Amino acid sequence: MHIPFSSLPGSSRIWIYQSPRALDSHETKIISDALHTFTQRWSVHGVPMPASFDIRFDQFIILAADEDSVSASGCSIDDSVRTLKEIGGMISVDLFDRTKVCFKSEGVFTMPVTDLKKEYLSGKWSGGSLLFNNLISTKGDLETKWLVPAETTWISRYIPKETVVDK
């Protein structure tokens, strides 16, 4: 059962899918149409799931479900994954590539995990650079825990030890 994203409570569970590049208006329309259809019919063992989606920064697709009335099951989550893979195929974008991270500066820039140490040393990012932490799990976390300093996340391990300040 599709409901407006803004109407979902902060406790709603989210899944964030990251595009390796900015999406154009045609692609976002394809995504919006497909996810609107999906969230209208999304259910758990026949029970409608209150759900929605949002596209942010033209690069992140956020799927959300209000699990207060019904919890997502393995089958319903599999259904959402299958849908996102189909959408990725329609727009020729891999939404499941976890080998890249995104930072926010003047815009969004994407970097392969394999380049993090080298790019840190070249000054492209620092511990204070804002990183999109796609590991968050609730809608409420979008406001406070999604865009955070890199040094507070798992990528801090790519900061050379001699530059880490004890906290």
Side-chain angles (χ1 to χ4, degrees):
M1 153 183 34
H2 180 82
I3 60 175
F5 191 84
S6 60
S7 297
L8 289 170
S11 61
S12 296
R13 186 171 175 187
I14 62 168
W15 296 267
I16 300 174
Y17 298 90
Q18 173 181 296
S19 170
R21 60 169 175 76
L23 301 164
D24 65 33
S25 60
H26 177 70
E27 291 168 325
T28 57
K29 173 141 179 39
I30 290 170
I31 294 165
S32 293
D33 290 348
L35 285 179
H36 191 268
T37 299
F38 172 74
T39 55
Q40 282 182 318
R41 68 166 178 78
W42 200 13
S43 65
V44 178
H45 304 293
V47 177
M49 168 86 73
S52 196
F53 66 92
D54 197 15
I55 300 171
R56 296 199 179 174
F57 299 99
D58 294 325
Q59 200 153 348
F60 302 93
I61 301 165
I62 304 165
L63 182 63
D66 179 0
E67 293 187 308
D68 288 344
S69 58
V70 60
S71 294
S73 67
C75 293
S76 64
I77 294 169
D78 288 349
D79 194 20
S80 70
V81 168
R82 190 170 26 263
T83 298
L84 269 294
K85 284 185 178 182
E86 288 171 4
I87 291 170
M90 287 190 278
I91 60 172
S92 299
V93 170
D94 183 358
L95 299 170
F96 292 84
D97 183 356
R98 304 291 185 237
T99 65
K100 294 179 179 64
V101 295
C102 287
F103 293 91
K104 184 170 187 314
S105 184
E106 293 181 22
V108 175
F109 70 92
T110 304
M111 182 181 305
V113 171
T114 55
D115 291 350
L116 283 170
K117 194 167 201 168
K118 175 184 75 167
E119 296 294 1
Y120 177 88
L121 294 172
S122 75
K124 185 145 186 185
W125 69 279
S126 70
S129 295
L130 295 177
L131 176 81
F132 288 94
N133 177 17
N134 296 333
L135 301 177
I136 60 172
S137 60
T138 67
K139 182 183 172 223
D141 288 344
L142 282 170
E143 303 307 318
T144 58
K145 297 179 182 175
W146 186 33
L147 197 53
V148 293
E151 66 192 0
T152 66
T153 71
W154 62 272
I155 72 164
S156 65
R157 71 180 125 195
Y158 293 95
I159 299 173
K161 298 291 185 233
E162 61 275 4
T163 62
V164 176
V165 178
D166 290 329
K167 295 182 183 183

